[in-house]
Amino acid sequence: MVKLIRPNQCIVYLLLSVFVFAQELELRVIKSIPFPEDTKLLDLNPNKLNWSINNSFLLLDEEKNQLFSLEPPDNLNLSPISGLESSIYGQLIWMGLAPDGFRVVDRLENEILFLDHRLNLIQRISIKPNLYPDMVAISHQGILYMYSQSYNSIFSFDRLKININPLIDFKRKRLESDCIIDMSTNHLGEIAVLNCQNKVMLFSQNGKLKSLFSILLPEPSHIVSIEDDWFLFNSQGKATSTKTMMQYSIPETSVPIIDIESMGKLIAILSSDHILILHAN
């Protein structure tokens, strides 16, 4: 059973496979995808997740610098560019699906890697100035947004070029914040940033601040877009909608949450030994 806690403290119990986010939105558990045996044999412990093509997934074990794809039920493909023994790269921190393949960001080498759908390297582009990006998000159009703690700013990468002028500068008085937890984009190209003060800053695609609001969810760690809303999750499996501020729980079998990504109405939650897929309707 899954426990829902509504603002009036009334407790409702639902089946494990169904739980409701606000009256008009329902999330259903579509499936749980266990990691294949090869992940244990290779001692892989992914901590980053993203969507790939054909309902498959990109996974990254940052400790081993190993990038790989998972095609359910048990097809695991290691990228030839990564791994501690074979990699010529410094620190892979992010990977994502672009309209023409995959993008991977190497923090220490200050590079953006272009990969084909088999995870083979096509092109490398240097990040200048040296941003040493700490966080990355990608728009539906393939624009990369990179947060650099060194500059305390977000820079954009589009059409093979980095705009050397910050898209969003958190040193500005109104935006002052020196601790960013997560950021994400939605289908409109808007950018949502979660900071350490439990506040969400919503920006237009040209970097203009649209709204700023506080979140009551304890220790939020992830923000994702779902339809015309933003949802925040913490590692303990609690979630809240920025539209209604209602708080909910996910199945305990998928806790703690390691990473989470949305794609349209689908949400993928990375746990220690499986990926949980939810559908919003």
Side-chain angles (χ1 to χ4, degrees), residues 67-261:
L67 174 68
F68 61 101
S69 65
L70 175 61
E71 299 175 15
D74 55 7
N75 188 6
L76 186 151
N77 298 303
L78 298 178
S79 169
I81 73 163
S82 59
L84 289 178
E85 295 181 358
S86 60
S87 178
I88 61 173
Y89 306 104
Q91 182 187 12
L92 306 183
I93 62 152
W94 178 90
M95 68 291 173
L97 179 63
D100 59 348
F102 299 121
R103 303 288 183 266
V104 179
V105 174
D106 186 330
R107 181 179 184 274
L108 291 185
E109 296 296 329
N110 277 291
E111 288 186 332
I112 299 171
L113 314 177
F114 289 55
L115 309 183
D116 64 20
H117 289 145
R118 294 186 177 182
L119 303 183
N120 295 306
L121 181 65
I122 298 174
Q123 186 178 9
R124 300 162 64 174
I125 294 181
S126 296
I127 300 173
K128 297 294 183 183
N130 290 337
L131 300 181
Y132 298 100
D134 299 277
M135 208 170 296
V136 185
I138 189 169
S139 72
H140 286 207
Q141 295 75 32
I143 302 173
L144 288 186
Y145 300 104
M146 296 179 288
Y147 170 69
S148 168
Q149 190 173 27
S150 300
Y151 288 84
N152 198 19
S153 299
I154 292 176
F155 295 79
S156 63
F157 174 84
D158 186 22
R159 296 184 177 90
L160 305 182
K161 292 182 180 180
I162 292 178
N163 189 336
I164 61 174
N165 298 310
L167 179 71
I168 302 167
D169 186 349
F170 293 106
K171 297 187 294 295
R172 289 164 49 193
K173 188 172 183 179
R174 189 182 179 193
L175 301 179
E176 191 170 355
S177 179
D178 58 1
C179 180
I180 304 301
I181 296 175
D182 196 21
M183 66 179 187
S184 185
T185 63
N186 64 10
H187 64 287
L188 298 175
E190 297 171 326
I191 308 161
V193 177
L194 169 66
N195 68 17
C196 296
Q197 289 75 46
N198 270 30
K199 292 182 179 179
V200 172
M201 294 171 278
L202 182 61
F203 299 90
S204 66
Q205 55 187 332
N206 62 8
K208 181 180 179 181
L209 181 66
K210 298 184 64 176
S211 58
L212 172 66
F213 43 90
S214 298
I215 299 299
L216 299 178
L217 181 71
E219 300 180 346
S221 54
H222 303 284
I223 184 167
V224 296
S225 65
I226 304 174
E227 295 289 270
D228 60 346
D229 200 353
W230 298 91
F231 281 79
L232 293 107
F233 291 76
N234 64 22
S235 61
Q236 291 75 41
K238 303 300 180 183
T240 186
S241 157
T242 62
K243 189 180 252 187
T244 66
M245 301 305 291
M246 297 173 67
Q247 298 188 20
Y248 307 89
S249 301
I250 70 161
E252 292 184 3
T253 51
S254 297
V255 173
I257 293 175
I258 299 174
D259 199 11
I260 180 169
E261 289 289 345

